[in-house]
Coordinates of all heavy atoms in Angstrom, one line a residue:
M1 N 7.5 4.0 19.1 CA 6.2 4.6 18.7 C 5.0 3.9 19.3 O 5.0 2.7 19.4 CB 6.1 4.4 17.1 CG 4.8 4.9 16.6 SD 4.5 4.5 14.8 CE 4.0 2.8 15.0
D2 N 4.1 4.7 19.6 CA 2.9 4.1 20.3 C 1.8 3.9 19.1 O 1.3 4.9 18.5 CB 2.3 5.3 21.2 CG 1.0 4.8 21.9 OD1 0.3 3.9 21.3 OD2 0.5 5.4 23.0
P3 N 1.4 2.7 19.0 CA 0.6 2.4 17.9 C -0.9 3.1 17.9 O -1.4 3.4 17.0 CB 0.4 0.8 17.8 CG 1.6 0.4 18.7 CD 2.0 1.4 19.6
N4 N -1.3 3.2 19.1 CA -2.6 3.8 19.3 C -2.6 5.3 19.0 O -3.5 5.9 18.4 CB -3.0 3.8 20.9 CG -3.3 2.3 21.2 OD1 -4.0 1.6 20.4 ND2 -2.8 1.8 22.2
T5 N -1.5 6.0 19.3 CA -1.3 7.4 18.9 C -1.1 7.5 17.5 O -1.8 8.4 16.8 CB 0.0 8.0 19.6 OG1 -0.2 7.9 21.1 CG2 0.2 9.4 19.2
A6 N -0.4 6.6 16.9 CA -0.1 6.7 15.4 C -1.6 6.5 14.7 O -1.8 7.1 13.7 CB 0.8 5.5 14.9
L7 N -2.3 5.4 15.2 CA -3.6 5.2 14.5 C -4.6 6.4 14.6 O -5.3 6.8 13.7 CB -4.3 4.0 15.2 CG -5.6 3.6 14.5 CD1 -5.5 3.3 12.9 CD2 -6.1 2.4 15.2
T8 N -4.6 7.0 15.8 CA -5.3 8.2 15.9 C -4.9 9.4 15.0 O -5.8 9.9 14.3 CB -5.1 8.8 17.4 OG1 -5.7 7.8 18.3 CG2 -6.0 10.1 17.5
R9 N -3.7 9.5 14.7 CA -3.2 10.6 13.9 C -3.5 10.1 12.4 O -3.9 10.9 11.6 CB -1.6 10.7 14.1 CG -1.1 11.8 13.2 CD -1.7 13.1 13.5 NE -1.2 14.2 12.6 CZ -1.9 15.1 12.0 NH1 -3.1 15.2 12.3 NH2 -1.3 15.9 11.2
I10 N -3.3 8.9 12.1 CA -3.7 8.3 10.7 C -5.1 8.7 10.4 O -5.6 9.1 9.4 CB -3.3 7.0 10.5 CG1 -1.9 6.7 10.4 CG2 -4.1 6.3 9.3 CD1 -1.4 5.2 10.7
R11 N -6.1 8.5 11.3 CA -7.5 8.7 11.2 C -7.8 10.2 11.0 O -8.6 10.7 10.3 CB -8.3 8.1 12.3 CG -8.3 6.5 12.3 CD -8.9 6.0 13.4 NE -9.1 4.5 13.3 CZ -9.5 3.6 14.3 NH1 -9.6 4.2 15.4 NH2 -9.7 2.4 14.1
E12 N -7.0 11.0 11.8 CA -7.1 12.4 11.7 C -6.7 12.9 10.2 O -7.4 13.7 9.6 CB -6.3 13.1 12.7 CG -6.9 13.0 14.0 CD -5.9 13.5 15.2 OE1 -4.7 13.8 14.8 OE2 -6.3 13.5 16.3
L13 N -5.6 12.3 9.9 CA -5.0 12.7 8.4 C -5.9 12.2 7.3 O -6.1 12.9 6.3 CB -3.6 12.1 8.3 CG -2.7 12.8 9.1 CD1 -1.4 12.0 9.2 CD2 -2.3 14.2 8.6
I14 N -6.7 11.1 7.4 CA -7.6 10.5 6.5 C -8.8 11.6 6.4 O -9.2 12.0 5.3 CB -8.2 9.2 6.9 CG1 -7.0 8.1 6.6 CG2 -9.4 8.8 6.0 CD1 -7.3 6.8 7.1
I15 N -9.2 12.0 7.5 CA -10.3 13.1 7.4 C -9.9 14.3 6.8 O -10.6 14.9 6.0 CB -10.8 13.4 8.9 CG1 -11.5 12.1 9.5 CG2 -11.7 14.6 9.0 CD1 -11.9 12.2 11.0
E16 N -8.7 14.9 7.1 CA -8.1 16.0 6.5 C -7.8 15.8 4.9 O -8.3 16.7 4.1 CB -6.8 16.4 7.1 CG -7.0 17.0 8.6 CD -5.6 17.2 9.1 OE1 -4.8 17.7 8.5 OE2 -5.5 17.0 10.4
A17 N -7.4 14.6 4.6 CA -7.2 14.3 3.1 C -8.5 14.2 2.4 O -8.6 14.7 1.2 CB -6.5 13.0 2.9
D18 N -9.6 13.5 3.1 CA -10.7 13.5 2.4 C -11.4 14.9 2.1 O -12.0 15.2 1.1 CB -11.9 12.6 3.3 CG -11.6 11.2 3.1 OD1 -10.9 10.8 2.1 OD2 -12.1 10.4 3.9
A19 N -11.3 15.8 3.1 CA -11.8 17.2 2.9 C -10.9 17.9 1.9 O -11.5 18.6 1.0 CB -11.6 17.9 4.3
L20 N -9.7 17.7 1.8 CA -8.8 18.3 0.8 C -9.2 17.8 -0.5 O -9.2 18.5 -1.5 CB -7.4 18.1 1.2 CG -6.4 18.7 0.2 CD1 -6.5 20.1 0.2 CD2 -5.0 18.3 0.7
S21 N -9.4 16.6 -0.6 CA -9.6 15.8 -1.8 C -11.0 16.4 -2.5 O -11.0 16.5 -3.7 CB -9.8 14.3 -1.6 OG -9.9 13.6 -2.9
A22 N -11.9 16.5 -1.6 CA -13.2 17.1 -2.1 C -13.1 18.5 -2.8 O -13.8 18.7 -3.7 CB -14.2 17.0 -1.1
S23 N -12.1 19.3 -2.2 CA -11.9 20.6 -2.7 C -11.1 20.6 -3.9 O -11.1 21.6 -4.8 CB -11.2 21.6 -1.7 OG -10.1 21.1 -1.4
L24 N -10.4 19.5 -4.3 CA -9.6 19.3 -5.5 C -10.1 18.3 -6.4 O -9.4 17.7 -7.3 CB -8.1 18.8 -4.9 CG -7.4 19.7 -4.1 CD1 -6.0 19.0 -3.6 CD2 -7.0 21.0 -4.8
C25 N -11.5 18.0 -6.4 CA -12.0 17.0 -7.2 C -11.8 17.1 -8.7 O -11.7 16.2 -9.5 CB -13.4 16.9 -6.9 SG -14.4 18.4 -7.4
H26 N -11.4 18.4 -9.0 CA -11.1 18.6 -10.5 C -9.6 18.7 -10.8 O -9.2 19.0 -12.0 CB -11.8 19.9 -11.0 CG -13.3 19.9 -10.9 ND1 -14.1 19.0 -11.6 CD2 -14.1 20.6 -9.9 CE1 -15.3 19.2 -11.2 NE2 -15.4 20.1 -10.3
D27 N -8.9 18.5 -9.8 CA -7.4 18.4 -10.0 C -6.9 17.0 -10.4 O -7.0 16.1 -9.7 CB -6.8 18.7 -8.6 CG -5.2 18.9 -8.7 OD1 -4.7 18.5 -9.7 OD2 -4.7 19.1 -7.7
D28 N -6.5 16.9 -11.7 CA -5.9 15.5 -12.1 C -4.5 15.4 -11.9 O -3.9 14.4 -12.6 CB -6.3 15.6 -13.6 CG -7.8 15.4 -13.9 OD1 -8.4 14.9 -12.9 OD2 -8.3 15.8 -15.0
S29 N -3.8 16.1 -11.1 CA -2.4 16.0 -10.8 C -2.1 14.6 -10.2 O -2.9 13.9 -9.6 CB -1.9 17.1 -9.9 OG -2.3 16.8 -8.6
E30 N -0.8 14.2 -10.4 CA -0.3 12.9 -10.0 C -0.3 12.8 -8.4 O -0.7 12.0 -7.8 CB 1.0 12.6 -10.4 CG 1.6 11.2 -10.1 CD 2.9 10.9 -10.8 OE1 3.4 11.7 -11.6 OE2 3.4 9.8 -10.5
V31 N 0.0 14.0 -7.9 CA 0.1 14.1 -6.4 C -1.3 13.8 -5.9 O -1.5 13.2 -4.8 CB 0.7 15.5 -6.0 CG1 0.5 15.7 -4.5 CG2 2.1 15.6 -6.3
H32 N -2.3 14.5 -6.4 CA -3.7 14.3 -5.9 C -4.2 12.9 -6.0 O -4.7 12.4 -5.1 CB -4.6 15.2 -6.7 CG -6.0 15.1 -6.3 ND1 -7.0 14.5 -7.0 CD2 -6.7 15.4 -5.0 CE1 -8.2 14.4 -6.3 NE2 -8.0 14.9 -5.2
S33 N -3.8 12.3 -7.2 CA -4.2 10.9 -7.4 C -3.4 10.0 -6.4 O -4.1 8.9 -5.8 CB -3.7 10.4 -8.8 OG -4.1 9.2 -9.1
I34 N -2.3 10.3 -6.1 CA -1.5 9.4 -5.1 C -2.1 9.6 -3.7 O -2.3 8.6 -2.9 CB 0.0 9.7 -5.1 CG1 0.6 9.2 -6.4 CG2 0.7 9.1 -3.9 CD1 2.0 9.7 -6.6
L35 N -2.4 10.8 -3.3 CA -3.0 11.1 -2.0 C -4.3 10.4 -1.9 O -4.6 9.7 -0.9 CB -3.2 12.6 -1.8 CG -4.0 13.0 -0.6 CD1 -3.2 12.7 0.6 CD2 -4.1 14.5 -0.6
Y36 N -5.2 10.5 -3.0 CA -6.4 9.7 -2.9 C -6.3 8.3 -2.8 O -6.9 7.7 -2.0 CB -7.3 10.2 -4.3 CG -8.6 9.5 -4.3 CD1 -9.6 10.1 -3.7 CD2 -8.7 8.3 -5.0 CE1 -10.9 9.4 -3.6 CE2 -10.0 7.7 -5.0 CZ -11.1 8.3 -4.4 OH -12.3 7.7 -4.4
D37 N -5.5 7.7 -3.5 CA -5.3 6.2 -3.5 C -4.7 5.8 -2.2 O -5.2 4.8 -1.6 CB -4.3 5.8 -4.6 CG -5.0 5.9 -5.9 OD1 -6.1 6.1 -6.2 OD2 -4.2 5.8 -6.9
L38 N -3.7 6.5 -1.7 CA -3.2 6.3 -0.3 C -4.2 6.3 0.8 O -4.4 5.4 1.6 CB -2.0 7.1 0.0 CG -1.4 6.9 1.4 CD1 -0.8 5.5 1.6 CD2 -0.3 8.1 1.7
T39 N -5.0 7.4 0.7 CA -6.0 7.6 1.7 C -7.2 6.5 1.6 O -7.5 5.9 2.6 CB -6.7 8.9 1.6 OG1 -5.8 9.9 1.7 CG2 -7.9 9.2 2.4
E40 N -7.5 6.1 0.5 CA -8.5 5.0 0.2 C -8.0 3.7 0.8 O -8.7 2.9 1.5 CB -8.9 4.9 -1.2 CG -9.8 6.0 -1.7 CD -11.1 6.2 -1.0 OE1 -11.8 5.1 -1.0 OE2 -11.3 7.2 -0.4
A41 N -6.7 3.4 0.5 CA -6.1 2.1 0.9 C -6.0 2.1 2.5 O -6.4 1.0 3.1 CB -4.7 2.0 0.3
V42 N -5.5 3.2 3.1 CA -5.4 3.1 4.6 C -6.7 3.1 5.2 O -7.0 2.4 6.2 CB -4.5 4.4 5.0 CG1 -4.5 4.5 6.5 CG2 -3.1 4.3 4.4
E43 N -7.8 3.8 4.6 CA -9.0 3.9 5.3 C -9.7 2.5 5.1 O -10.3 2.0 6.1 CB -10.0 4.9 4.6 CG -11.2 5.2 5.2 CD -11.9 6.5 4.6 OE1 -11.7 6.6 3.4 OE2 -12.7 6.9 5.2
G44 N -9.5 1.9 4.0 CA -10.0 0.5 3.9 C -9.4 -0.6 4.8 O -10.0 -1.4 5.4
L45 N -8.1 -0.5 4.9 CA -7.4 -1.4 5.8 C -7.8 -1.0 7.3 O -8.0 -2.1 8.0 CB -5.9 -1.2 5.7 CG -4.9 -2.0 6.5 CD1 -5.2 -3.5 6.3 CD2 -3.4 -1.6 6.2
D46 N -8.0 0.2 7.7 CA -8.4 0.4 9.0 C -9.8 -0.1 9.2 O -10.1 -0.8 10.3 CB -8.4 2.0 9.3 CG -8.9 2.3 10.6 OD1 -8.6 1.6 11.6 OD2 -9.7 3.4 10.7
R47 N -10.7 0.1 8.4 CA -12.0 -0.4 8.4 C -12.0 -1.9 8.5 O -12.7 -2.6 9.3 CB -12.9 0.0 7.3 CG -14.3 0.1 7.4 CD -15.2 0.7 6.2 NE -14.6 0.7 5.0 CZ -14.0 1.8 4.3 NH1 -14.0 3.0 4.9 NH2 -13.5 1.7 3.1
W48 N -11.2 -2.6 7.7 CA -11.1 -4.1 7.7 C -10.7 -4.6 8.9 O -11.4 -5.4 9.6 CB -10.2 -4.6 6.5 CG -9.8 -5.9 6.6 CD1 -8.6 -6.5 7.0 CD2 -10.4 -7.1 6.1 NE1 -8.6 -7.7 6.9 CE2 -9.8 -8.1 6.4 CE3 -11.7 -7.1 5.5 CZ2 -10.2 -9.4 6.0 CZ3 -12.3 -8.5 5.3 CH2 -11.5 -9.6 5.5
I49 N -9.6 -4.1 9.5 CA -8.9 -4.6 10.8 C -10.0 -4.2 12.0 O -10.2 -5.1 12.9 CB -7.6 -4.0 11.0 CG1 -6.6 -4.6 9.9 CG2 -7.2 -4.3 12.5 CD1 -5.3 -4.0 10.0
S50 N -10.5 -3.1 11.9 CA -11.5 -2.6 13.0 C -12.7 -3.5 13.1 O -13.3 -3.6 14.2 CB -11.8 -1.1 12.9 OG -10.7 -0.3 13.0
R51 N -13.0 -4.1 12.0 CA -14.3 -5.0 11.9 C -13.9 -6.4 12.3 O -14.6 -7.3 12.0 CB -15.0 -4.8 10.6 CG -15.6 -3.4 10.5 CD -16.3 -3.2 9.4 NE -16.8 -1.9 9.3 CZ -17.4 -1.4 8.0 NH1 -17.3 -2.1 6.9 NH2 -17.8 -0.2 8.1
G52 N -12.6 -6.7 12.7 CA -12.3 -8.0 12.9 C -11.5 -8.8 11.8 O -11.2 -10.0 12.0
G53 N -11.2 -8.1 10.8 CA -10.5 -8.8 9.7 C -9.1 -9.1 10.1 O -8.5 -8.6 11.1
F54 N -8.4 -10.0 9.4 CA -7.1 -10.4 9.7 C -6.1 -9.4 9.4 O -6.3 -8.5 8.5 CB -6.8 -11.8 9.0 CG -6.9 -11.7 7.5 CD1 -5.8 -11.3 6.7 CD2 -8.0 -12.0 6.8 CE1 -5.9 -11.4 5.3 CE2 -8.2 -12.1 5.5 CZ -7.1 -11.6 4.7
L55 N -4.9 -9.4 10.0 CA -3.9 -8.5 9.8 C -3.2 -8.9 8.5 O -3.2 -10.1 8.1 CB -2.9 -8.5 10.9 CG -3.4 -8.1 12.2 CD1 -2.1 -8.2 13.3 CD2 -3.7 -6.5 12.2
P56 N -2.5 -7.9 7.9 CA -1.6 -8.3 6.7 C -0.6 -9.3 7.1 O -0.1 -9.2 8.4 CB -0.9 -7.0 6.4 CG -1.9 -5.9 6.8 CD -2.5 -6.6 8.1
E57 N -0.2 -10.2 6.3 CA 0.7 -11.2 6.6 C 2.0 -10.7 7.2 O 2.5 -11.2 8.2 CB 1.0 -12.0 5.4 CG 1.9 -13.2 5.7 CD 2.2 -14.2 4.4 OE1 1.2 -14.4 3.8 OE2 3.3 -14.5 4.2
C58 N 2.6 -9.6 6.7 CA 3.9 -9.1 7.1 C 3.8 -8.6 8.5 O 4.7 -8.3 9.3 CB 4.5 -8.2 6.1 SG 3.6 -6.7 5.9
W59 N 2.6 -8.3 9.0 CA 2.3 -7.8 10.4 C 2.2 -8.8 11.5 O 2.1 -8.6 12.5 CB 1.1 -6.8 10.4 CG 1.3 -5.5 9.8 CD1 2.4 -5.1 9.1 CD2 0.3 -4.5 9.7 NE1 2.2 -3.8 8.5 CE2 0.9 -3.5 9.0 CE3 -1.0 -4.3 10.2 CZ2 0.2 -2.2 8.7 CZ3 -1.6 -3.1 9.9 CH2 -1.1 -2.1 9.2
T60 N 1.9 -10.1 10.9 CA 1.7 -11.2 11.8 C 3.0 -12.0 12.2 O 3.0 -12.8 13.1 CB 0.6 -12.1 11.3 OG1 1.0 -12.7 10.1 CG2 -0.7 -11.4 11.2
R61 N 4.0 -11.7 11.4 CA 5.3 -12.5 11.7 C 6.0 -11.8 12.8 O 5.9 -10.6 13.1 CB 6.2 -12.5 10.4 CG 5.6 -13.0 9.2 CD 6.5 -13.1 8.1 NE 6.7 -11.6 7.8 CZ 7.3 -11.2 6.6 NH1 7.7 -12.0 5.7 NH2 7.3 -9.9 6.5
R62 N 6.7 -12.8 13.5 CA 7.6 -12.1 14.6 C 8.7 -11.3 13.9 O 9.3 -11.7 12.9 CB 8.1 -13.3 15.4 CG 7.2 -13.9 16.3 CD 7.9 -15.0 17.1 NE 7.0 -15.6 18.0 CZ 6.9 -15.3 19.3 NH1 7.7 -14.5 19.8 NH2 6.2 -15.9 20.1
A63 N 9.0 -10.2 14.6 CA 10.1 -9.4 14.2 C 11.5 -10.3 14.0 O 11.7 -10.9 15.2 CB 10.2 -8.1 14.9
E64 N 12.2 -10.2 13.1 CA 13.5 -10.8 12.8 C 14.5 -10.0 13.7 O 14.2 -8.8 14.0 CB 13.9 -11.1 11.6 CG 12.8 -11.8 10.6 CD 13.3 -12.0 9.3 OE1 14.5 -11.7 8.9 OE2 12.4 -12.3 8.5
A65 N 15.6 -10.6 14.2 CA 16.6 -10.0 15.0 C 16.9 -8.7 14.2 O 17.2 -8.6 12.9 CB 17.8 -10.9 15.1
G66 N 16.9 -7.7 15.0 CA 17.3 -6.4 14.4 C 16.2 -5.5 13.9 O 16.4 -4.4 13.7
D67 N 15.0 -6.2 13.5 CA 13.9 -5.4 13.1 C 13.2 -4.7 14.2 O 13.1 -5.3 15.2 CB 12.9 -6.4 12.4 CG 13.4 -7.0 11.0 OD1 14.4 -6.4 10.5 OD2 12.8 -8.0 10.5
E68 N 12.6 -3.7 13.8 CA 11.7 -2.9 14.7 C 10.3 -2.9 14.4 O 10.0 -2.9 13.3 CB 12.2 -1.5 14.9 CG 13.6 -1.4 15.5 CD 14.0 0.0 15.7 OE1 13.3 1.0 15.6 OE2 15.2 0.2 15.9

């Protein structure tokens, strides 16, 4: 997987999810709630790292044998 391509796609999906979320603002379904929370978490993490914040601990360890 190309991390740059993945990040570009994640950012596109956040924009799409934000637009969808706005149209579903009165939808109290669990799916909508999960989508909103996931989008907010990923968007916050992207903003944090893009501004020079540290990586999550599990991203800074060397991959163990057999991990990808």
Side-chain angles (χ1 to χ4, degrees):
M1 176 188 77
D2 178 345
N4 293 312
T5 300
L7 182 57
T8 297
R9 184 62 183 138
I10 288 168
R11 288 175 173 167
E12 292 169 351
L13 290 168
I14 287 172
I15 291 168
E16 291 177 35
D18 283 345
L20 179 61
S21 183
S23 69
L24 298 174
C25 64
H26 300 293
D27 181 356
D28 291 332
S29 73
E30 186 175 357
V31 171
H32 179 254
S33 178
I34 291 169
L35 173 61
Y36 179 81
D37 290 346
L38 177 62
T39 301
E40 289 297 305
V42 171
E43 190 172 26
L45 181 62
D46 179 40
R47 202 171 28 250
W48 169 259
I49 294 170
S50 294
R51 293 178 180 166
F54 58 86
L55 293 174
E57 186 177 312
C58 67
W59 288 2
T60 61
R61 294 181 298 195
R62 291 182 174 258
E64 296 177 16
D67 286 351
E68 292 184 16

